[in-house]
Amino acid sequence: MAHDLTRYRNIGIAAHIDAGKTTVSERVLFYTGKTHKIGEVHEGTAVMDHLEEEQQRGITITAAATTCPWRLSGREDGDEYIINLIDTPGHVDFTVEVERSLRVLDGAVAVFDGREGVEAQSETVWRQATKYHVPRLCFVNKMDKVGADFEFCVKTIHDRLGANPVPIQIPIGAAENFAGVIDLLEMKGYQWDEESKGRTWGEIPIPAEFKAKADQARAYMIEKASECDDQLMEKYLSDQPISNDEIKAALRKGTCAIKINPVLCGSALKYKGIQLLLNAVVYYLPSPMDKPPMVGHDVREKTKELIRRADINEPFCGIVFKIVSDQHGDLSYVRVYSGKLESGARIINSTRDKKEIASRIWEMHAADRIQREFAEAGDIVGVVGFKYGLTGDTICDPDHPILLEKMEFPEPVISMSIEPKSANDKNKLGEALTTLRREDPTFRSNFDAETGQTIIHGMGELHLEIIANKLKRDMKVDVTVGKPKVAYKETITKAAEAQGKHVKQSGGRGQYGDCWIKLEPYVPVEGDDSEDSLLFKNDIKGGSIPREYIPSVEYGVRQAAKSGVLGGFPMLNMKVALFDGSYHDVDSSQIAFEQAGILAMQSACKKAGPVLLEPIMKLQVTTPIEFAGPVQGDISSRRAMIENTENRGNTQVIDATVPLANMFGYSTILRSLTQGRANYTMEPHSYAQVPNHVKDEVLASLK
């Protein structure tokens, strides 16, 4: 019998680093009966942080998935729902884990620190969720923390995220006086018993000193709910009585339509508020049935749209959103959007046009798994047996092929060299890097023939450090690691024209290719579907170059752009127009025009005022106020632009943009400046031209 999809919730927990995501996840597992002992991040016993590296560092590195049952209000007689939960990392170096999880989720819980409110990575996660149209609940965690301020947090969600937060709870007290929460729908207070780790909890009357505040907050909630439903708005404006069920239905409608974001509060560490959060997930976040059908394209006719509904009777269709290498073969995490996938079924990977077999299907619980015979629409499962699948690939019924929208991943900003210590390690290194590339789409590697070194590229120092550790410890490859290097790029500053002519005559058939190109600066438009940093345009008139050779010229141009003219760095933000040329009836060939394209591009770039670009990072430092002066001074000395400073209680938050090249080893410096009391986050922001004196140093270091 097919399962009732209205009782399924596919959700993720996402937030800034240290907001308490994994602690929330651990409490969810405990209260849903999935675990019988609460794991703690600070003790390295968290179930969802199952990698050794995660337990040592106390941070989440990979998204972990689990499936857990929940009976409403935690009662034995409550209706049972199935929650597929993904706990995502908060550290920006692992942003791909959040990106690919949000791509396949129906809803998310955004967790905020009760004292800090919206932090730098909260904004990134929020943007990613908006990009994939994911409805969100907000959970203000750590209400027991010194300086916790619920109203401040709600204000930052509104001001910094441009969201529409609607509190459906308010806290009873804060910091050491945090005693529980008031449910504004039921107008009841709730308390949790810490001795029983929150298993014992129940209603209490609303304390007298919070009654007026609760009435005011409830009135605001009803006003916001009525904005999401026309019938409720009529009742609200005509002062007719409104039932709790009507308010709940309107809040759900507004949340699913991403018009509002219900806000709850609690303290995961002190076991308060999690059961009500689970109820809210069921009440307000969408089931697979509430989401619009998946729109894909015909594999052969790219312009033809196809639709797949969350229905077991539709043809099977799903997406691979994560790959984990395993001693028994790759484990592919799959979100099933329609139809049914049976164990042993033959399917196709429509992205790569390859046949695959789903040998075994597993229900995941972090590192553990339970075998299943099949997976149906709405499920998130692990599948063993795929040989070709990569993150973002569409898998489907061979008789009904469909291609879903692919995922876009950010470009790496940092690189470092690694060298195997022995011939045996050299053989193992190639296999290990291939495995890592399959697992992590933001990780790249290449072999530098000039230096004989392997270069790995990633999203940050921590990302590369963890990859190096993984190579040594998990994959048993002994490597020497070089110092991290910045991923520079090149571009041009003015227009130029150039000819590329490739002529060879040495007995037999010769080679003849001749083209003229015009090169000019170009910035991809925001929202441009191609998002191509090099735009190629065919302006040939009158057939001076036959049509079959045009793609060869474009290929040559793009190859030349991969290694620029200053320091061999990739070139971007250019528009190339092919406007003239000539050909030979016998000697012209595709290879000849490829070479002509390379020569024309190299010549034009040299004339077009080439400049070096460097990655600029968005930096946010949170420091105690007494250290703010030295911290700001140090940031300024790193060629940074301080954009904003804001005092929050006894701390100062500094927002700046800074070149990545000046930020290596910054965590050590910041610790010494602030006695270890400050922290920072950094994420890619943009590329900017390198000042001349720095450019000379960079280019000199390459010689």
Side-chain angles (χ1 to χ4, degrees):
M1 193 178 97
H3 47 227
D4 181 359
L5 283 180
T6 60
R7 290 178 178 264
Y8 271 63
R9 298 293 180 271
N10 291 318
I11 65 159
I13 295 189
H16 182 88
I17 193 167
D18 276 348
K21 294 174 304 305
T22 301
T23 307
V24 170
S25 299
E26 293 299 321
R27 302 302 183 260
V28 167
L29 296 182
F30 183 61
Y31 297 131
T32 56
K34 197 73 186 180
T35 57
H36 301 290
K37 179 176 179 291
I38 289 190
E40 299 291 4
V41 176
H42 54 273
E43 292 173 5
T45 57
V47 175
M48 299 300 264
D49 285 352
H50 56 89
L51 300 181
E52 189 179 331
E53 194 86 47
E54 294 178 314
Q55 291 168 358
Q56 286 175 355
R57 293 172 185 268
I59 63 170
T60 305
I61 292 168
T62 65
T66 189
T67 300
C68 42
W70 175 244
R71 291 190 180 275
L72 279 178
S73 299
R75 294 198 314 267
E76 289 296 317
D77 58 341
D79 291 340
E80 185 171 279
Y81 286 77
I82 300 295
I83 296 175
N84 286 319
L85 173 76
I86 296 183
D87 174 32
T88 63
H91 200 288
V92 69
D93 283 19
F94 312 109
T95 188
V96 64
E97 292 286 339
V98 186
E99 179 95 15
R100 59 183 170 190
S101 300
L102 288 170
R103 168 70 173 81
V104 299
L105 292 171
D106 300 328
V109 176
V111 181
F112 299 93
D113 185 305
R115 189 179 80 175
E116 308 299 338
V118 172
E119 298 172 88
Q121 188 63 8
S122 319
E123 295 182 40
T124 307
V125 168
W126 198 268
R127 270 200 314 273
Q128 289 170 316
T130 301
K131 173 179 166 184
Y132 291 118
H133 310 292
V134 178
R136 278 141 280 174
L137 295 180
C138 301
F139 182 68
V140 177
N141 191 24
K142 302 192 179 184
M143 282 306 302
D144 60 311
K145 190 175 177 179
V146 175
D149 185 337
F150 180 72
E151 286 169 15
F152 164 77
C153 285
V154 174
K155 187 174 185 302
T156 61
I157 292 168
H158 179 273
D159 295 349
R160 290 191 205 148
L161 301 177
N164 190 4
V166 179
I168 58 172
Q169 295 175 352
I170 60 170
I172 301 173
E176 68 274 11
N177 298 320
F178 177 58
V181 304
I182 296 168
D183 183 321
L184 300 174
L185 203 71
E186 304 289 341
M187 285 305 272
K188 292 173 181 171
Y190 288 92
Q191 267 187 339
W192 284 262
D193 172 44
E194 284 189 39
E195 289 295 311
S196 68
K197 298 193 171 177
R199 274 179 292 201
T200 306
W201 63 294
E203 299 171 12
I204 57 165
I206 296 174
E209 66 270 30
F210 290 98
K211 188 75 176 72
K213 203 173 189 179
D215 288 338
Q216 186 184 357
R218 178 178 165 86
Y220 180 75
M221 176 186 74
I222 294 171
E223 180 192 334
K224 286 292 180 183
S226 66
E227 290 173 8
C228 303
D229 187 284
D230 293 341
Q231 287 178 313
L232 195 64
M233 178 61 88
E234 282 180 33
K235 278 191 163 188
Y236 177 72
L237 292 174
S238 55
D239 279 339
Q240 292 178 39
I242 296 172
S243 72
N244 283 352
D245 285 345
E246 287 174 310
I247 298 168
K248 198 185 284 184
L251 288 171
R252 177 181 179 78
K253 189 176 177 182
T255 307
C256 292
I258 319 183
K259 288 181 179 174
I260 60 168
N261 304 101
V263 185
L264 300 92
C265 60
S267 166
L269 191 65
K270 302 288 187 196
Y271 319 106
K272 292 173 183 169
I274 302 301
Q275 292 96 332
L276 292 181
L277 174 63
L278 283 165
N279 285 350
V281 163
V282 168
Y283 291 144
Y284 305 117
L285 289 180
S287 74
M289 299 294 285
D290 297 317
K291 298 287 281 185
M294 289 301 291
V295 177
H297 292 92
D298 190 295
V299 176
R300 289 167 193 83
E301 288 181 63
K302 294 286 190 285
T303 52
K304 184 179 173 186
E305 282 196 349
L306 299 172
I307 283 176
R308 292 286 183 271
R309 291 176 182 81
D311 184 344
I312 187 175
N313 298 313
E314 292 251 328
F316 165 69
C317 151
I319 200 162
V320 176
F321 69 95
K322 179 177 163 74
I323 292 167
V324 177
S325 290
D326 196 85
Q327 65 263 39
H328 308 301
D330 284 353
L331 176 71
S332 302
Y333 283 73
V334 173
R335 163 71 198 260
V336 182
Y337 283 111
S338 64
K340 183 176 182 178
L341 175 65
E342 294 189 345
S343 187
R346 293 178 181 276
I347 54 173
I348 60 161
N349 177 330
S350 55
T351 309
R352 315 217 166 265
D353 195 20
K354 297 279 189 185
K355 292 176 181 173
E356 297 274 27
I357 296 177
S359 306
R360 286 196 299 283
I361 299 171
W362 303 96
E363 181 181 299
M364 301 306 300
H365 175 47
D368 302 324
R369 49 185 90 164
I370 302 155
Q371 190 156 359
R372 287 176 52 164
E373 291 305 310
F374 58 85
E376 295 177 351
D379 279 336
I380 291 177
V381 291
V383 178
V384 175
F386 295 166
K387 289 182 180 175
Y388 307 103
L390 293 176
T391 300
D393 285 2
T394 303
I395 51 173
C396 56
D397 182 331
D399 298 328
H400 301 88
I402 184 174
L403 198 54
L404 301 178
E405 182 193 353
K406 68 178 197 297
M407 299 185 199
E408 300 289 341
F409 298 112
E411 288 290 315
V413 294
I414 190 170
S415 62
M416 69 182 185
S417 61
I418 54 169
E419 291 182 77
K421 287 191 176 174
S422 68
N424 186 32
D425 289 320
K426 189 174 183 180
N427 297 334
K428 287 198 290 188
L429 180 62
E431 288 175 27
L433 292 176
T434 304
T435 299
L436 289 169
R437 280 199 301 273
R438 281 176 62 77
E439 286 188 0
D440 184 351
T442 57
F443 170 70
R444 315 271 165 84
S445 66
N446 65 284
F447 183 71
D448 188 331
E450 285 183 26
T451 61
Q453 292 177 320
T454 298
I455 311 294
I456 58 174
H457 312 265
M459 298 305 296
E461 280 185 275
L462 181 62
H463 188 197
L464 292 187
E465 187 185 325
I466 280 165
I467 279 171
N469 285 352
K470 206 169 182 182
L471 281 169
K472 291 176 186 174
R473 190 183 59 220
D474 301 345
M475 299 177 160
K476 306 289 186 280
V477 184
D478 206 356
V479 289
T480 307
V481 179
K483 285 186 177 171
K485 289 181 180 174
V486 175
Y488 290 101
K489 306 267 193 229
E490 295 179 25
T491 192
I492 54 167
T493 54
K494 59 186 182 185
E497 289 183 5
Q499 180 186 25
K501 197 166 186 179
H502 178 70
V503 182
K504 272 197 176 170
Q505 199 70 48
S506 53
R509 186 178 164 181
Q511 293 282 343
Y512 186 94
D514 174 29
C515 64
W516 277 89
I517 63 168
K518 183 179 181 183
L519 191 59
E520 56 187 307
Y522 152 80
V523 178
V525 184
E526 187 78 33
D528 178 7
D529 285 345
S530 67
E531 288 183 357
D532 200 344
S533 59
L534 190 152
L535 190 69
F536 184 85
K537 205 160 166 253
N538 174 19
D539 284 344
I540 291 288
K541 305 278 191 297
S544 55
I545 297 178
R547 189 174 292 147
E548 66 264 28
Y549 296 137
I550 308 292
S552 301
V553 176
E554 181 179 355
Y555 180 76
V557 162
R558 291 187 182 279
Q559 287 301 105
K562 286 181 182 175
S563 51
V565 292
L566 290 174
F569 301 111
M571 303 195 78
L572 50 91
N573 296 355
M574 297 182 296
K575 185 175 179 179
V576 181
L578 171 65
F579 67 90
D580 201 3
S582 62
Y583 70 101
H584 189 281
D585 285 335
V586 178
D587 292 348
S588 283
S589 66
Q590 289 181 336
I591 290 172
F593 273 98
E594 266 177 36
Q595 291 301 315
I598 291 171
L599 293 169
M601 187 67 172
Q602 288 171 340
S603 176
C605 286
K606 285 173 185 169
K607 296 178 189 174
V611 291
L612 202 60
L613 299 175
E614 63 181 343
I616 302 295
M617 309 301 281
K618 184 175 162 189
L619 174 71
Q620 186 176 80
V621 182
T622 306
T623 174
I625 281 179
E626 62 261 37
F627 304 116
V631 169
Q632 283 192 35
D634 178 69
I635 292 172
S636 299
S637 72
R638 295 170 184 272
R639 292 197 285 130
M641 293 282 292
I642 294 178
E643 296 180 337
N644 186 42
T645 59
E646 181 187 343
N647 289 350
R648 295 185 198 165
N650 57 357
T651 60
Q652 185 175 81
V653 179
I654 303 160
D655 288 300
T657 51
V658 60
L660 175 63
N662 291 60
M663 292 303 289
F664 291 136
Y666 180 63
S667 54
T668 310
I669 302 291
L670 186 63
R671 275 200 298 270
S672 64
L673 282 174
T674 62
Q675 299 170 8
R677 290 168 61 197
N679 57 54
Y680 77 99
T681 58
M682 198 164 67
E683 61 181 280
H685 178 267
S686 59
Y687 268 85
Q689 190 173 333
V690 178
N692 281 334
H693 68 282
V694 179
K695 180 183 89 170
D696 295 340
E697 285 174 25
V698 172
L699 296 179
S701 70
L702 298 172
K703 290 174 184 171

